[in-house]
Structure formats: C-alpha cells, structure tokens
Amino acid sequence: DIVMTQSPDSLAVSLGERATINCKSSQSVLYSSNNKNYLAWYQQKPGQPPKLLIYWASTRESGVPDRFSGSGSGTDFTLTISSLQAEDVAVYYCQQYYSTPLIFTFGPGTKVDIK
Amino acid sequence: EVQLVQSGAEVKKPGESLKISCKGSGYSFTSYWIGWVRQMPGKGLEWMGIIYPGDSDTRYSPSFQGQVTISADKSISTAYLQWSSLKASDTAMYYCARLSSTSCYNCPLQHWGQGTLVTVSS
C-alpha cells in the first residue's frame, strides 16, 4: 500500500500569514500516461465531515477560496494557505487516489491553529 | 444538488450486528463509486473500501477486509456498511462519500455524508 506522511503535525500561524503543509507519498502518484498526480487535499473542521479542497494536486474545487493552493509532483506535495483566516482553523489531510487496488490512503493530518 | 444522507447514531453492545446506510440523491446513483471512511475518536481518516452501485463491484482496504461488508441497493439509491459482530474498537464516526466523476474509481471524494457515529460499549 502507498503510505502517506504529513508535516508538521500541527502549526500555529498569525492571521493573514502563510501556512504551509507538506505531504509525502511512499511511491509516486504521478500517472505518466496523462501526467496527472492522483493527490487530493481535504479540510475538516470540528464536528464536520471532510471537505474536498484540491484535487489532481493543484486543481481547486469549485467554491474554494483562491488563498488555498496545491503544488508538487511525484511523491512530494504542498498545500499553501496564502493568508490565513480565522475560518481556516481545521485539520488538513492529503490523500492519494492512485492505487490500482483502490486503496486510497490518507495522510495523518495537520492541525492548523491561529497564533 | 448532490446529497448523501446517512442513518442516525447507533449505540450497540459488543457482539451485536449493525448495518448503517448512506442514501444518495440529486445524481445518478448507479454511475458513481461510493467510498467509506472511518474516523476513530480524536483520530485521522482511514480508508475502508469502495463500491460501484451500478454492478456492486466492491474493494476493501486490507485493514477492513473480513471485518465489514459494503453493499448497495440501487433500487433505493442506498449504500450500506455492516458488521456481523461489533467490537469496542469499532467505536468511531463513519462517513460515506461519493467520488467526483462518472464511473471513475481513481478520483477524489467530492461529496460527503454527514457521518454516522457508532458507539460499541457493554
């Protein structure tokens, strides 16, 4: 199975400042035939189900503010919140959906708070 | 509007059986894969498995194979997650989620149910 890791486990950022979360997969999730990275980011606020933010590593889901951006390729990926807002306090998870046996593992999550 | 509505919270005893549901609406239920995700108290998200309601093709994470059964009844647009003998360690929130594109299994989880809290305690 593909193992996903994230860093840091948690971070506290001042309002308006940048937050950066890293995600690493144990093997490449880049499919060479279409040059797509099978990597998504989700946001989960307390008491709510997760919400899809980013897919194909860098495509923003409809309605997601443009302060959220995804980057990276192969095994190393980053979620950036360019200017942290109070409503961005949440846990953020990366997930690979590359695996052919359809075992789509999540990273352990990164908790984002306000400093 | 796409909606996934899950059944209500359950409190069960160890050894009991349980079947929870996830009813889809606002889209063609048979054309999209649905996944199940576990979240134990205070923990992260765990991938359990996935089903294509169109033909009931089902795949399980090795961690959950043999522990749960995923099924679907396309006549009532409902997917299910069931246990034959619950354990205390099954206490968790369980989410269903629809993948993003028609017939696509290598796709992200775009629409989520509200979750079903299962508590197993003697």
Side-chain angles (χ1 to χ4, degrees):
Chain A
D1 297 355
I2 299 176
V3 176
M4 307 299 290
T5 57
Q6 289 182 231
S7 63
D9 294 335
S10 64
L11 75 161
V13 175
S14 300
L15 288 171
E17 295 301 303
R18 179 184 299 260
T20 302
I21 301 169
N22 300 300
C23 171
K24 191 174 183 69
S25 57
S26 61
Q27 65 187 74
S28 177
V29 298
L30 173 63
Y31 192 40
S32 55
S33 68
N34 59 12
N35 202 38
K36 285 187 172 182
N37 287 283
Y38 286 58
L39 189 285
W41 289 96
Y42 300 87
Q43 174 194 63
Q44 188 178 31
K45 297 181 180 180
Q48 295 184 19
K51 173 188 172 185
L52 177 64
L53 290 179
I54 303 280
Y55 56 97
W56 304 128
S58 61
T59 302
R60 210 177 295 116
E61 171 70 336
S62 176
V64 172
D66 60 7
R67 64 180 179 274
F68 291 92
S69 63
S71 63
S73 185
T75 61
D76 292 279
F77 301 90
T78 300
L79 175 70
T80 301
I81 310 172
S82 61
S83 176
L84 191 77
Q85 305 300 303
E87 61 265 31
D88 301 334
V89 169
V91 179
Y92 293 84
Y93 297 92
C94 60
Q95 182 211 24
Q96 63 80 17
Y97 49 96
Y98 175 90
S99 175
T100 303
L102 307 189
I103 302 167
F104 300 155
T105 43
F106 292 92
T110 295
K111 188 170 190 296
V112 174
D113 272 316
I114 305 293
K115 187 187 290 183
Chain B
E1 180 196 4
V2 174
Q3 282 197 309
L4 294 170
V5 178
Q6 298 187 230
S7 50
E10 301 274 1
V11 180
K12 292 289 192 179
K13 291 182 167 37
E16 292 186 332
S17 62
L18 176 65
K19 192 173 190 177
I20 63 175
S21 65
C22 168
K23 183 172 176 60
S25 62
Y27 72 98
S28 173
F29 183 75
T30 54
S31 300
Y32 292 79
W33 289 79
I34 289 180
W36 285 93
V37 175
R38 182 174 80 173
Q39 188 167 39
M40 299 178 77
K43 301 298 184 184
L45 305 173
E46 297 176 87
W47 179 262
M48 300 180 72
I50 191 171
I51 187 166
Y52 187 69
D55 61 6
S56 291
D57 185 1
T58 307
R59 317 291 176 88
Y60 295 92
S61 166
S63 300
F64 292 93
Q65 179 85 47
Q67 308 305 307
V68 298
T69 301
I70 294 170
S71 61
D73 184 339
K74 58 187 179 184
S75 69
I76 53 171
S77 301
T78 301
Y80 300 98
L81 179 65
Q82 69 180 88
W83 295 259
S84 59
S85 181
L86 286 160
K87 304 186 267 292
S89 57
D90 292 318
T91 295
M93 182 72 80
Y94 293 88
Y95 295 102
C96 65
R98 197 207 78 176
L99 275 64
S100 62
S101 301
T102 307
S103 302
C104 174
Y105 45 77
N106 292 101
C107 275
L109 299 167
Q110 185 180 38
H111 298 279
W112 292 69
Q114 83 276 20
T116 295
L117 181 62
V118 174
T119 303
V120 184
S121 174
S122 54

